[in-house]
Structures are given as structure tokens and as C-alpha cells.
């Protein structure tokens, strides 16, 4: 299949249309030879006996009807190898670090196949990130997909890096790797990640895919797929526990929208394609643990919410697919609290299977629930105090109001390099809860109060 | 007859050269991918393909099976997990490993397994469609009735007894019709029934807010709309676990793989509260997760409801959970837009509302063709974008279903679970079920419940005032209402699905809890009237202790202790 066609009849945005081809497969990889000698790559979007539509990754700039089109006869594949570790690749999988090409152990379709639900092992291994608002109240487990919902200008990158540095499964030293995929982030942001990876030596056990802000948007559509393909390969062929960081999902979705518009599709909410849920699911669902295999893929992606709006289609559809979300709050950030994670809208759905006796500690759930209840009520009371003044509050309510402050100041706030063990986190929890009257601890079984409450422990 | 592929655009493939009927199942391409004809136009037909179409080319062959998409019905459905087109995921795993590749076919029912068939008719008997001709013990507690297919009748010429495979003939009619334990039924066609009744019995779910405030009837329909993370899946799973139903069909439609793995992991371990047997023995799972092909997602709800109808026809109470019906609607939208159909509201096809009502219409309490009484209760999760209930799927669903369990993000955020909003939710069965509750729970259950609802309504009005002036400014009797409502919310409505005891609350316990709160309310009111200070009434210790009795293994005795203490404390306050 090396035949070159010069039958382009139309070029529209990132799309080209050709006629009079041999039968071409749906989703095939396409090489386009430009008159100036450069080549571009693309993918077949629609194929019929009469017309073939191709989406061009690097954009259609410089293309004309003289350009030659070669169909590769196969779908997009990523050459994979264990030697990818330590390498920096482009968003399309080409080496960027001046190193040699990857000598493939295998070539794998980047779209991946869907994991058979019957083969899945429910994730349950607690990952300690050292951050209390995650470990204590929104616990991450191996094989989970738990994104950070943030906003522009908030320290989501710091948080992601702190997690990448600190994440461990206590008591386990199984091989661990990071796959990092940048999608449309700035060069400066990318540098920030790269420097940290280099400084901490993390790069050796990382595979980096970079599609930066000035790289073609269309390429962004395959970047995360490349990254996840590499991750799955390391996890399921080389028994590694892989943490995948995709950033920024919002840029990915913008690229999807752009493609949809170019194809003149009927747009869904706010102009994003109607199939965006399914498309995002084809990324997020590539996380998990397989019965009988040692490795795992955990996703901790970053998404900046346009206008800090959690109901915007990008965070909204993501939230419907991922197993929770960690929400970074501008309000806490302005208060000077790091990490400014607001636990109330945050959630880890797999928390229940990762905590408790034998995993973290028997009182974990109760402590977490009680802190939530107290913090939620305390924040409501802040609203009320603003109107009626603190004096109008009952004694009980004043205590709860103070608890909310304590929670932010001692539980949420921690150092950028402070790596709290789960015991430390729960201890902080009990310390601040003990400032409340015991009768208000309605979510905690008496047996835990007797076992862990500082007032009981001391006597 | 053979045709060929003309065009491939994602899951939608156009074929030519054959003349299929609408909804015929065809196999496309060299790999024989399964698809269904959804449009016919001139010499071309459009097919939605249930598998990934990457690499498929125009010109590849197409074969028409001439049959519509059907499921296999017979022993072996229970304990199975299927994809949207009834391929057993276990078999797919054996055939192709941990990832689902395409072009693999697998029978819905195991052809090798032998089942012990016990006939219940003899030769010479005349039988009609739907009639039971024998039974198979499918799982320890479920007797699977082998029925004459709905469209068949005649005189039994020969009937066998013993161990057979599902496709072996076990009965021959005088006209030569052979009947096996397996029948096929086209999924898009409801199985016929003799008649439908108005549902009169509640589905007891062991969930206080559902049973207590917004009950659904056996044979009824309910919707659970809510934003992400508000508790749709947990609620559906609670219903699948604890409902007093004979059979559960659970459809994971376009949702998470891990959630299905969770069910698969947990259900064999959990006990059916009614029979004590593993829950899996009464369950059929359909898992077409969000990353599996959309066309098969579209089919999954039909596959599920057809299986439900089959067990209903045997005279069983079946509950069907669809999580999430929105993903099904989106699959319709996606296919429709590929067909370049004229979009309706928010891009959904104009027939969205018709499809939804056709689906929910397949619920109901019925008398089957063989005069058995069975039911299908359908509970659909709805996932509105941005949590906004004014969108088309929620609105069209609410027009059909009789019970509305509205999930609220604010409640979920403060970890009030189940985060069902008691002010906006409703059940249109409440009245119709009142007699049943009065007879089977307690004569005063209905007034107790109505009173609780009234108080909760009052609370929301009072809260508005509190927001302006603080609670101390309210008169004492209103402060008491607020306190009672807090108790109702925290002690009664909140129920932790992950607590070993609290996860399931028998009706008797629901009644006693509500009664206990009401008793405190009465005593407090009386004390207030006799001039006892509010502060003292509120600091009654037994009131706070009541918060935790629901978690006690020995509920009755724990409650007694608390209530006796309450009597003493109020007596000590004097006044009454
Ligand atoms: N009854 C309950 N008891 C305790 N926790 C609950 C309960 N209901 C929901 N939750 C908590 O809320 C989380 C989210 O619930 P769930 O997964 O059911 O949401 P959902 O509405 O199905 O979301 P999505 O639309 O994204 O699937 C659960 O992981 C659990 O932590
Ligand atoms: Mg859900």
C-alpha cells in the first residue's frame, strides 16, 4: 500500500477530502507529502467508495491539491518498549530529546481496546500521597481515575508534582512509573514539570509526551492515547504500577470541539461535540487493575475549569466518568492556604474500598465523615455570621464555626514538601475534632471515641 | 444474499447490494462484525455496528441474517454478566483475554451445560403460549419455568424428563413443533401479557427515605436524576441488593467498568435478605461500559428489559435498574447525528420521548399469558448535564415515571446520604400503597410519616427566616420544630450504604425509629407547654443517644435502653 494519491478535492480546516482511491479503512493512518517535501500525518474519519475524509494532525497549512496522500493500511500504532522510560517524546510519539528512536518490542494500536469488565479487579490498594485532604478525606487507590479540577492560576501543577513525588503504597516497593502527557500547556509549564522530574530523579522512571500550546491542536487528540498506550504496556506487560498525569484535559476538549466544528457536526452543549462523554470515557476508562496481573494504571489528570464553573461541560462530563475529583479552590488559595483543596465538592468514590482496618485504620471513615459534617456546617455558619453576627449563634454553633477554621488551618494547610503519613493525617483529624464537644461527634461510633479521642487516650 | 460495504463512519456503516428488513441483524466486513439495520434508503441501508469499526473498508462483504436482534432466554441467565448484545463477558474473556477485541461471537446461553428438566405436563395435554411445561432448578432459590413460546400452542405429543442442554428438544407438539428449554425473542418487541394491573404492593427496599417517604410499587417506575457523584449508582446498587424482589436485572449502561467489577465482586458474597442465598443467584448483569461501543450501549437496555420480561412471565417480581438512562439517550443521539437526522431538543432525536416511554411501558404488574402474576419495576438513573433537571432526558422521563427521587448535589457535598431531596421528590404511589402499609407495617405508620413530611416542609420555611435573623430569634416552639427536623434528617433520613448494619433497614426498624423521634417530639412539646426551659429540653442526653441506635446490631434492646432513659429524663425535668 504505497500508492500515492493526488486526488484531493477539498481542504477545510484540519480536514481533507479525496476521491478515486482504492478502498481505505476507517481510522487508518495517513501520510501526506507536501510539495515542499515535508510530510504530515492524518487519520481517516469517513470512508466510502466515492470519498474519503482525512483529519490532518499537524493542520492543513501548506497543503494543496498537489499534495500526495499515502494510506498506511493500518490504524495509528505506538512503538512501545521498556526503554521508553526516561524518554521525552512529542505528542505524536517522536523522540524530542535527541535520543535514538525507540526500538519497539511491540507496536500497539493507540486507541486501545476496552478492558473486559469481567477481568477488572476492583481497585482497593491505598496510595498514600502525603496530602491530608486526599489521604484523609478523598483517598486515592491504585487503578483509580481521580482528576484535579482546578482553575487558571491555581497551584494544580504543584499539587500534581507533590503527588508524583510522594505517592507510595505503604509497605510496598513494587516497580513504579510515571507517564506524563502535556496537551497544549505552555512551554514554561512544561519546563516546570521537566525540571522537577529531573531534580527528583523521577525522569528515569517516567515517559513524557509533550504537545505544547504551539503544537498542532489536532495532534492533541492522539497525545493522551499515546500516553495511555505506553502506560498500559508498562503496567500489563512489565508489571509496573503506572501513574498517568494528563494535563490539561481542557485543552484536549478544546481540540475536540475544534475538530467537530471543522467537520460541521451538530454541536452539543456549549459547542462541544455530542459524543464528548464517550470520547472522554475512552481515555479515562483506561485505568484499572486486571485480575491476575501485577501492574496497574492510575490516572491523576489535571483539568482547568473554564470560569471556575464545575457545571461547564468539560468538568461535568469528566465528573460523570472519573471516580471522583479533587477540587482546587480559588477561595482557599486567596486565603493563602496550600494545598487549597476544598474537600466539600471533592470526592473519591473508591475511598471506601481503600480504607479501614487492615488498609489504613479502622476509624478512618468515621473521622472523615465527621470532619466533613463539621466543616460543611461551619462554612454555612460563616454565611450566617456575616448577616447576623457571631453573638446570635448558639454555643454549639460557635464551636462548629471555630472547627471550620481549625480544619482549614491545620488539616488542609500543609507544606509543599510535607509528606504526612496516614497516621499523621488521622492524628491531625482527631486533634481538631477533640475541640468539639463529644456529644457533637454523632458520626463516630463510641468504640472509636474510646480508642482514639485524645481525652480518652490520655487517661 | 451477499452485499458489500459502501461507507464507514465510526459506528455507522452504509451497505448496498442486499435488501434487508428494518432491524435485521447483519454481519459486516471480513471479520463479520455484528450490526443492526436502522435505516433503508433506496438500494442502500444503514447499519449501526456493535463493535469497533477501525480498519474496515468499503467493498468488504456483508451478510444478512434476516433475523432481528434477539436474546436467548432459558436457564443460565442468572449469575451471568453480559455485554449490551448478550455476549457473556466471561466467555469473551476466555476467547480473547482481558481486553475486548472484535469479531468474536458468543452464545448468550451455554450450549454444553446440562440442566435437570422436570416436566409438569403430560402427552395429550393441550398447551398454549406462555404456559409452563416443566421446571428447572436454575439456582438454589429460583425455579426456572420452561414456558411454551408466546406464539406457539398445540397438543403435547411427547415430553421428556431428565438432563438436557438448552437447545435440545424436550417437548414435541402434535403439529411437529419442537420446544427446547431456550427460546429467542427480539429485544425491541415487548413480550405479550394477558393484562396489566395497577400496582398495589410496595417494593420494600430497606432504604428509609425510599420506603418511608417515597415508596415505589412492585411493577412501578421510578427515576433517580442527579448530578455526578450524588448517589445514583449507590442507590441503584442498594436497591439491587436489598429489595424484596425475586430477580434483579442490573444494566450498567455507558458507565464505569470498575462499578461493574464491584458488583461482580460483592454480589456473590452478599446474602439476599429474603432467602439468605448469595445475591448473585438472583441477578443478571448487563455491562456495556462507557468505553464499549455506543451502538451496543443503545441495545443494552432492550436486552435487559427482555430478560426481565421473561422472568416476569414466570410469575416473578423482577426489578430492573438502568444506570444510566442518559447514556442510552446519548447513544441514540450519537447514532442519530451520524445518520444526519434532523435534531430535536439539544441534539437528541425527535423520537427520544417515544423511545423512553416505550421502554418504561414495559414495566408493570401483570397477569401473564399463563395467568401468573408477575411484575417488573423499572428504576432508571438519569444524569443531567450540569445537574440541571430542565434538560430533555430528565424532563421526558419525569413525564412517564411515577416516582421521582431527586438527588441534590448540596446534600451530597455535606455527606447527607442518600442525598435525596425530600422537598422536591415525590411518589405517586404513596396513596395507593397506604392500605398496604397500615395493614402490614402499623396502623399509625401513615399518620407518622405524613407528620414527618409536614414537619420537613415547615423546616424549609423556618430555615429561610433563620437565614435572616438567626435561630435564637425564633419562638421556642419553632426552635423545637427545627430540632425535631434535624433529628428526622440525621437519625432517620440519613442512611449509610457502607455501614454493615445501617445499609439495610427492615420496615419494623424504620417504624420504631420514626416512632421514637415522634415520642421525643411529643414529650418535648408537652414539657415546653408546661413551662420547662427549651435549653433543658434540648440537653436531654437520650436524644443525642438516639442518633446512634440505628447502627446497633441489637437494635431493639439498644432502642429500649434509650427510650427508657428518655422517659426518666423527661420525668426528672418535671412538668408533665
Ligand atoms: N447512601 C449512601 N451512603 C454512603 N455514601 C453514599 C451513599 N450514596 C452515595 N454515597 C457516596 O457518594 C459517592 C458517589 O455516589 P455514586 O457513585 O452513586 O454517584 P452517581 O450519582 O452514580 O455519580 P455518577 O453520575 O458520576 O455515576 C459514593 O462513592 C459514596 O461515597
Ligand atoms: Mg453512577
Amino acid at each position: 500500500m504505497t500508492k500515492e494519491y493526488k486526488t484531493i478535492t477539498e481542504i477545510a480546516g484540519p480536514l481533507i477530502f479525496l476521491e478515486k482511491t482504492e478502498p481505505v479503512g476507517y481510522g487508518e493512518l495517513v501520510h501526506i507529502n507536501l510539495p515542499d517535501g515535508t510530510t504530515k500525518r492524518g487519520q481517516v474519519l469517513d470512508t466510502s467508495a466515492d470519498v474519503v475524509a482525512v483529519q490532518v494532525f499537524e493542520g492543513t497549512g501548506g497543503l494543496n491539491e498537489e499534495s500526495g496522500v499515502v494510506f498506511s493500511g493500518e490504524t495509528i500504532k505506538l512503538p512501545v518498549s521498556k526503554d521508553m522510560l526516561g524518554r521525552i517524546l512529542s505528542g505524536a510519539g517522536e523522540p524530542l530529546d535527541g535520543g535514538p528512536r525507540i526500538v519497539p518490542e511491540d507496536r500497539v494500536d493507540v486507541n486501545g481496546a476496552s478492558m473486559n469488565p469481567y477481568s477488572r479487579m476492583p481497585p482497593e490498594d491505598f496510595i498514600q500521597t502525603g496530602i491530608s485532604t486526599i489521604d484523609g478525606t478523598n483517598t486515592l487507590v491504585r487503578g483509580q481515575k481521580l482528576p484535579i479540577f482546578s482553575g487558571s492560576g491555581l497551584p494544580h501543577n504543584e499539587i500534581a508534582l507533590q503527588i508524583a513525588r510522594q505517592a507510595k503504597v505503604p509497605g510496598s516497593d513494587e516497580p513504579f512509573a510515571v507517564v506524563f502527557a502535556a496537551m497544549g500547556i505552555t512551554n514554561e509549564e512544561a519546563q516546570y514539570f521537566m525540571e522537577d522530574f529531573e531534580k527528583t530523579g523521577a525522569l528515569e522512571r517516567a515517559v513524557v509526551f509533550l504537545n505544547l500550546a504551539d503544537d498542532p491542536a489536532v495532534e492533541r487528540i492522539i497525545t493522551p492515547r499515546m500516553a495511555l498506550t505506553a502506560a498500559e504496556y508498562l503496567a500489563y506487560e512489565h508489571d509496573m504500577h503506572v501513574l498517568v498525569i494528563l494535563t490539561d484535559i481542557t485543552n484536549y476538549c478544546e481540540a475536540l470541539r475544534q475538530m467537530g466544528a471543522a467537520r460541521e457536526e451538530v454541536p452539543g452543549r456549549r459547542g462541544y461535540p455530542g459524543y464528548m462523554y464517550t470520547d472522554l470515557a475512552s481515555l479515562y476508562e483506561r485505568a484499572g487493575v486486571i485480575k491476575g496481573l501485577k501492574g496497574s494504571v492510575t490516572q491523576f489528570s489535571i483539568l482547568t475549569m473554564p470560569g471556575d464553573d464545575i457545571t461547564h461541560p468539560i468538568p461535568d462530563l469528566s465528573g460523570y466518568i472519573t471516580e471522583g475529583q479533587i477540587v482546587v479552590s480559588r477561595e482557599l488559595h486567596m486565603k493563602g492556604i496550600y494545598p487549597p483543596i476544598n474537600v466539600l465538592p471533592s470526592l473519591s468514590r473508591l475511598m471506601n474500598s481503600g480504607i479501614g482496618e487492615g488498609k489504613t485504620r479502622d476509624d478512618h471513615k468515621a473521622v472523615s465523615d465527621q470532619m466533613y459534617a463539621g466543616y460543611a456546617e461551619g462554612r454555612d455558619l460563616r454565611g450566617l455570621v456575616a448577616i447576623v453576627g457571631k453573638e446570635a449563634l448558639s454555643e454549639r454553633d460557635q464551636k462548629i464555626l471555630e472547627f471550620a477554621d481549625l480544619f482549614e488551618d491545620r488539616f488542609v494547610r500543609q507544606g509543599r514538601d510535607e509528606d504526612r503519613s496516614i497516621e499523621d493525617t488521622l492524628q491531625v483529624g482527631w486533634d481538631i475534632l477533640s475541640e468539639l464537644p463529644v456529644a457533637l461527634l454523632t458520626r463516630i461510633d463510641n468504640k472509636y471515641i474510646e480508642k482514639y479521642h485524645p481525652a480518652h487516650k490520655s487517661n | 444474499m451477499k452485499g458489500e460495504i459502501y461507507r464507514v463512519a465510526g459506528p455507522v456503516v452504509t451497505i448496498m447490494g442486499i435488501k434487508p428488513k428494518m432491524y435485521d441483524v447483519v454481519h459486516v466486513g471480513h471479520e463479520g462484525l455484528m450490526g443492526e439495520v436502522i435505516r433503508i434508503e433506496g438500494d442502500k441501508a444503514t447499519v449501526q455496528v456493535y463493535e469497533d469499526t477501525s480498519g474496515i473498508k468499503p467493498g468488504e462483504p456483508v451478510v444478512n441474517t434476516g433475523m432481528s436482534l434477539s436474546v436467548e432466554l432459558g436457564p443460565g441467565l442468572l449469575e451471568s454478566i453480559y455485554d449490551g448484545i448478550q455476549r457473556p463477558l466471561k466467555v469473551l474473556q476466555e476467547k480473547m483475554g482481558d481486553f475486548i477485541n472484535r469479531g468474536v461471537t458468543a452464545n448468550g446461553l451455554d450450549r454444553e451445560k446440562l440442566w435437570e428438566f422436570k416436566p409438569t405436563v403430560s402427552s395429550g395435554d393441550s398447551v398454549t403460549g406462555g404456559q409452563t411445561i416443566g421446571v428447572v432448578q436454575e439456582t438454589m432459590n429460583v425455579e426456572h419455568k420452561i414456558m411454551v413460546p408466546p406464539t406457539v400452542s398445540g397438543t403435547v405429543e411427547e415430553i421428556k424428563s431428565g438432563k438436557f442442554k438448552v437447545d435440545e428438544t424436550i417437548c414435541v407438539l402434535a403439529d411437529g413443533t419442537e420446544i427446547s428449554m431456550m427460546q429467542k425473542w427480539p429485544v425491541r418487541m415487548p413480550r405479550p401479557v394477558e393484562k396489566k394491573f395497577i400496582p398495589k404492593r410496595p417494593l420494600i427496599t430497606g432504604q428509609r427515605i425510599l420506603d418511608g417517604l417515597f415508596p415505589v410499587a412492585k411493577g412501578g417506575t421510578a427515576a433517580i436524576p442527579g448530578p455526578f457523584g450524588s448517589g445514583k449508582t449507590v442507590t441503584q446498587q442498594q436497591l439491587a441488593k436489598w429489595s424484596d424482589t425475586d430477580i434483579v436485572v442490573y444494566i450498567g449502561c455507558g458507565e464505569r467498568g470498575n462499578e461493574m467489577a464491584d458488583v461482580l465482586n460483592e454480589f456473590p458474597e452478599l446474602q439476599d435478605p429474603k432467602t439468605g442465598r448469595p445475591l448473585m443467584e438472583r441477578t443478571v448483569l448487563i455491562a456495556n461500559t462507557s468505553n464499549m461501543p455506543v451502538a451496543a450501549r443503545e441495545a443494552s437496555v432492550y436486552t435487559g428489559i427482555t430478560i426481565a420480561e421473561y422472568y416476569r412471565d414466570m410469575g416473578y417480581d423482577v426489578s430492573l435498574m438502568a444506570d444510566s438512562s442518559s447514556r442510552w439517550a446519548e447513544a441514540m443521539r450519537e447514532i442519530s447525528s451520524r445518520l444526519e437526522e434532523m435534531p430535536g431538543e439539544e441534539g437528541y432525536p425527535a423520537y427520544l420521548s417515544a423511545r423512553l416511554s416505550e421502554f418504561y411501558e414495559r414495566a408493570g404488574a401483570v397477569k401473564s399469558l399463563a395467568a401468573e402474576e408477575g411484575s417488573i419495576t423499572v428504576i432508571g438513573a438519569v444524569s443531567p448535564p450540569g445537574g440541571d433537571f430542565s434538560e430533555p432526558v430528565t424532563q421526558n422521563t419525569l413525564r412517564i415515571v411515577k416516582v421521582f427521587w431527586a438527588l441534590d448535589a448540596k446534600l451530597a457535598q455535606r455527606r447527607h446520604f442518600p442525598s435525596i431531596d425530600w422537598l422536591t421528590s415525590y411518589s405517586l404511589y404513596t396513596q395507593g400503597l397506604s392500605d398496604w402499609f397500615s395493614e402490614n407495617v402499623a396502623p399509625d405508620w401513615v399518620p407518622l410519616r405524613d407528620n414527618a413530611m409536614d414537619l420537613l416542609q415547615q423546616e424549609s420555611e423556618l430555615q429561610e427566616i433563620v437565614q435572616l435573623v438567626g435561630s435564637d430569634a425564633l419562638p421556642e416552639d419553632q426552635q423545637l420544630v427545627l430540632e425535631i427536623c434535624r433529628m428526622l434528617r440525621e437519625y432517620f433520613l440519613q442512611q449509610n450504604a457502607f455501614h454493615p448494619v445501617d445499609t439495610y433497614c427492615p420496615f419494623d426498624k424504620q417504624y420504631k425509629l420514626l416512632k421514637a423521634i415522634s415520642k421525643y417530639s411529643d414529650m418535648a412539646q408537652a414539657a415546653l407547654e408546661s413551662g420547662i426551659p427549651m435549653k433543658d429540653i434540648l440537653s436531654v442526653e437520650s436524644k443525642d443517644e438516639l442518633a446512634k441506635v440505628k447502627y446497633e446490631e441489637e437494635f431493639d434492646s439498644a432502642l429500649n435502653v434509650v427510650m427508657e432513659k428518655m422517659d426518666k429524663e423527661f420525668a426528672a425535668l418535671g412538668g408533665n
Side-chain angles (χ1 to χ4, degrees), chain A residues 319-321 347-349 352, chain B residues 226-235 255-256 259 323 383 407 417-418 495-498:
Chain A
Y320 272 123
I321 306 164
L347 169 71
S348 162
R349 295 160 196 246
N352 287 309
Chain B
F228 65 79
S230 56
K232 296 179 290 296
T233 304
V234 173
T235 308
E255 293 286 312
R256 304 173 182 84
E259 287 172 350
D323 185 12
S383 316
L407 293 171
F417 290 123
Q495 185 169 3
N496 184 351
F498 301 99

Side-chain angles (χ1 to χ4, degrees), chain B residues 197-369:
Chain B
F197 300 112
I198 293 179
K200 283 268 159 49
R201 294 168 302 142
L203 181 77
I204 312 246
T205 66
Q207 310 303 304
R208 288 185 290 269
I209 186 162
L210 306 187
D211 292 345
L213 302 190
F214 311 109
V216 62
K218 286 200 173 95
T221 49
I224 321 180
F228 65 79
S230 56
K232 296 179 290 296
T233 304
V234 173
T235 308
Q236 297 244 37
Q237 291 190 354
Q238 286 295 92
L239 290 165
K241 285 175 190 166
W242 308 122
S243 300
D244 67 332
T245 182
D246 300 311
I247 305 291
V248 171
V249 178
Y250 192 98
I251 311 172
C253 174
E255 293 286 312
R256 304 173 182 84
N258 278 336
E259 287 172 350
M260 298 314 293
D262 218 28
V263 174
L264 271 177
N265 206 40
E266 212 181 11
F267 275 35
E269 307 289 318
L270 289 173
Q271 282 179 5
D272 177 351
K274 215 162 79 170
T275 61
R277 295 293 306 168
L279 277 176
M280 204 60 204
E281 290 186 3
R282 66 172 202 186
T283 308
V284 185
L285 293 175
I286 316 265
N288 211 95
T289 54
S290 54
N291 56 342
M292 288 159 76
V294 281
R297 188 199 299 173
E298 193 273 337
S300 65
V301 295
Y302 295 104
T303 297
I305 192 104
T306 308
I307 293 173
E309 286 175 340
Y310 177 65
Y311 282 96
R312 171 206 65 193
D313 290 346
M314 294 178 207
Y316 287 122
D317 290 320
V318 184
S319 14
L320 178 137
M321 287 76 192
D323 185 12
S324 158
S325 62
S326 294
R327 305 302 166 216
W328 168 47
E330 284 167 7
M332 276 189 248
R333 175 170 71 183
E334 192 168 335
I335 304 282
S336 161
S337 93
R338 302 255 186 193
L339 294 180
E340 288 160 17
E341 288 174 341
M342 184 66 164
E345 229 184 323
E346 294 196 12
Y348 287 103
Y351 46 79
L352 171 72
S353 148
R355 292 277 168 88
L356 283 169
S357 44
E358 280 160 22
F359 170 68
Y360 281 102
E361 260 309 294
R362 291 173 77 169
V366 309
K367 190 184 217 177
S368 76
L369 294 181

Side-chain angles (χ1 to χ4, degrees), chain A residues 178-226:
Chain A
V178 174
V179 170
F180 177 81
M183 301 175 289
I185 63 173
T186 61
N187 192 41
E188 193 183 324
E189 274 179 291
Q191 286 307 323
Y192 180 75
F193 276 98
M194 300 311 300
E195 269 171 26
D196 199 88
F197 285 153
E198 272 167 36
K199 201 170 63 201
T200 58
L203 193 57
E204 277 165 44
R205 47 183 181 93
V207 189
V208 176
F209 291 84
L210 293 181
N211 165 288
L212 300 182
D214 54 356
D215 288 330
V218 193
E219 185 185 276
R220 239 155 259 172
I221 295 183
I222 48 168
T223 305
R225 298 188 159 81
M226 299 256 165

